[in-house]
Amino acid sequence: LALSGLAYADIAEWTTDISLNDDRSADWTVTFRYNESVTRSDYYILSRILSVRVLADDDVPVPCSITEQVGTTILCENIRAGKITYKFRTVSTASQLRSLFLFKQRFSVTQFTDRFSITVRLPLGTALVEKSRLEGTGLARFEPSWGREGTDGRRIFVEWIASEPKLG
């Protein structure tokens, strides 16, 4: 997965929240909080997406164009906002390997940001596989390994947070 949040201002905070569903779809919320107001923002994902909504500042809907080619680009122009939130759904996000479901996404930091975070929430009633079941497979419970496992009391999640990450 390659992502880009391009605008004419640096990003103060870039958060991505992915909520995995039982049907192998995923609901995404991607938020860019800019250091100043922007007039243009776009987001690219190497996937087909559905149910796109884009919100500015105080949850005001923003009209944007959506272009599907190799992936999907959401482009919002003629806006004035300091925060843009993209909400959408991906389908067939997880694959199955015997009795395990695998969720794989590649993320790239393509613009300078003070804080970059990704949270992946597992479907209700599921858990990360035990380390012992993965021995000898070359698979990890999650990657990169510096992620933090947690729970909100109902769902398990894995979270990665980086301050001033390098581009790439």
Side-chain angles (χ1 to χ4, degrees):
L1 169 75
L3 304 174
S4 84
L6 300 176
Y8 298 115
D10 284 342
I11 301 170
E13 186 174 15
W14 176 349
T15 62
T16 301
D17 189 283
I18 304 166
S19 182
L20 303 177
N21 300 312
D22 289 330
D23 65 358
R24 299 190 193 173
S25 68
D27 294 311
W28 292 58
T29 301
V30 180
T31 302
F32 296 115
R33 190 174 52 81
Y34 296 98
N35 287 319
E36 58 189 58
S37 186
V38 296
T39 58
R40 179 183 186 276
S41 180
D42 68 76
Y43 187 77
Y44 174 79
I45 180 169
L46 190 59
S47 183
R48 183 170 172 261
I49 61 176
L50 308 168
S51 306
V52 179
R53 289 183 338 167
V54 182
L55 306 170
D57 289 336
D58 297 319
D59 296 328
V60 176
V62 176
C64 302
S65 63
I66 299 168
T67 306
E68 290 182 11
Q69 290 182 351
V70 174
T72 305
T73 300
I74 306 169
L75 174 62
C76 308
E77 297 183 288
N78 301 316
I79 57 174
R80 181 165 300 286
K83 176 180 149 189
I84 301 291
T85 301
Y86 299 89
K87 295 184 177 214
F88 54 88
R89 175 172 280 194
T90 57
V91 293
S92 301
T93 315
S95 59
Q96 189 166 355
L97 177 65
R98 297 191 183 205
S99 63
L100 302 177
F101 288 96
L102 304 174
F103 171 72
K104 293 182 180 183
Q105 292 289 342
R106 181 174 299 271
F107 293 91
S108 296
V109 177
T110 56
Q111 187 165 349
F112 292 108
T113 182
D114 298 334
R115 183 176 187 272
F116 180 77
S117 69
I118 298 170
T119 303
V120 177
R121 299 176 194 286
L122 279 59
L124 192 61
T126 63
L128 291 168
V129 69
E130 302 86 24
K131 289 180 185 178
S132 62
R133 287 192 60 197
L134 296 175
E135 286 181 17
T137 66
L139 296 173
R141 296 178 75 215
F142 51 84
E143 293 182 60
S145 60
W146 54 268
R148 182 183 66 88
E149 181 181 347
T151 181
D152 62 9
R154 292 182 41 88
R155 296 175 73 179
I156 294 171
F157 62 83
V158 179
E159 177 179 60
W160 296 266
I161 301 172
S163 295
E164 298 181 0
K166 295 179 183 177
L167 294 182

